[in-house]
Amino acid sequence: MRRENHLNNFSDYIPQKAIPFVEFLVEKHLFELKIVNERATKHGDFRKLPNGKFQITINNNLNPHQFLLTLVHEIAHHVTHEKFGRAQPHGKEWKTIFQHLMLPFLHPEIYPPEILRYLAKYLKNPKASTDADAKLSLALRGYEAESGKLFVFNIPNGDFFEFKSTIYKRGNQRRTRIECQNIKTHRNYLFHQNVEVIPVFIK
């Protein structure tokens, strides 16, 4: 069972300067906000509950800059639903609302310049996931992988790594994707360059 927590103290999760406007958004748009354990396939989501209320969930492993962007992303889904009802999940209506909601946060006191320049570019035509933007994704993580891991682009060509209990051999890079071979099946897969993996040393 996934452990869930109600969010009571924004200072634990987002940059300090962002708190006033985030509190305004949460109070203006009625929804339940919960922090949940990390999910491999998404940072957050928005949904309508069986009781008719709305809920936003955010992963608990995100740093303040990731958390804020994910939260506003999901609030934009809620506002899109309020204004347009059924609409494309990441269509033009959502993009326009997301861009508008993010404007107050595009400030160096909230996002440092090394993130802000990539974030501003991303918001010109935002995609469904920030992970699709390799430079922004890396900047949001502070250019550091979790302890004991490396980004797959840091694995030398021809070396091995573990991902989801499977060993791969790192191959050539194709723009933001890297070709890697499953050493058991010999099948090739394309990994996003910012995927975090565990280096493995095989003689």
Side-chain angles (χ1 to χ4, degrees):
M1 180 179 293
R2 182 179 293 128
R3 181 174 61 84
E4 299 179 337
N5 293 322
H6 290 276
L7 180 58
N8 296 315
N9 188 356
F10 282 111
S11 63
D12 292 339
Y13 295 96
I14 63 176
Q16 193 71 25
K17 293 290 186 179
I19 291 175
F21 193 62
V22 167
E23 289 180 337
F24 167 77
L25 290 176
V26 172
E27 290 173 6
K28 181 178 180 181
H29 304 287
L30 298 177
F31 60 88
E32 185 180 68
L33 180 59
K34 288 187 176 182
I35 311 303
V36 302
N37 288 343
E38 179 182 2
R39 294 162 291 187
T41 58
K42 56 187 174 182
H43 298 310
D45 67 11
F46 162 75
R47 68 183 66 183
K48 186 175 183 179
L49 300 174
N51 62 9
K53 295 182 179 181
F54 298 98
Q55 181 186 85
I56 287 175
T57 64
I58 309 291
N59 290 2
N60 64 6
N61 66 314
L62 303 182
N63 67 43
H65 297 119
Q66 292 173 309
F67 192 102
L68 175 60
L69 185 59
T70 302
L71 176 58
V72 179
H73 175 122
E74 301 306 337
I75 292 175
H77 280 302
H78 185 28
V79 177
T80 302
H81 180 81
E82 288 178 323
K83 289 190 173 184
F84 301 102
R86 289 185 177 273
Q88 288 293 322
H90 298 97
K92 61 180 182 180
E93 297 88 356
W94 171 82
K95 289 184 179 185
T96 299
I97 290 170
F98 184 35
Q99 291 165 336
H100 175 73
L101 292 180
M102 279 300 300
L103 281 176
F105 303 110
L106 299 182
H107 193 283
E109 290 187 340
I110 296 176
Y111 282 102
E114 58 268 26
I115 294 177
L116 200 54
R117 60 175 177 161
Y118 296 122
L119 180 56
K121 185 176 180 180
Y122 162 78
L123 286 171
K124 290 180 180 179
N125 184 26
K127 301 295 189 294
S129 172
T130 53
D131 289 342
D133 187 315
K135 292 181 179 179
L136 175 59
S137 173
L138 196 60
L140 284 168
R141 298 186 201 188
Y143 301 95
E144 292 185 3
E146 290 182 19
S147 177
K149 294 184 178 182
L150 292 174
F151 295 115
V152 70
F153 74 82
N154 287 140
I155 300 290
N157 202 330
D159 279 11
F160 300 89
F161 64 87
E162 180 182 330
F163 180 73
K164 294 185 177 179
S165 302
T166 302
I167 305 299
Y168 294 87
K169 182 179 181 180
R170 200 262 205 204
N172 295 323
Q173 184 154 352
R174 301 181 182 179
R175 300 185 69 180
T176 61
R177 305 280 173 174
I178 296 176
E179 190 176 85
C180 302
Q181 185 181 74
N182 182 316
I183 64 170
K184 280 190 176 181
T185 65
H186 301 291
R187 293 183 63 181
N188 291 327
Y189 297 87
L190 290 176
F191 279 68
H192 190 286
Q193 68 173 27
N194 294 344
V195 169
E196 296 182 25
V197 300
I198 301 172
V200 174
F201 301 98
I202 299 177
K203 294 182 179 180

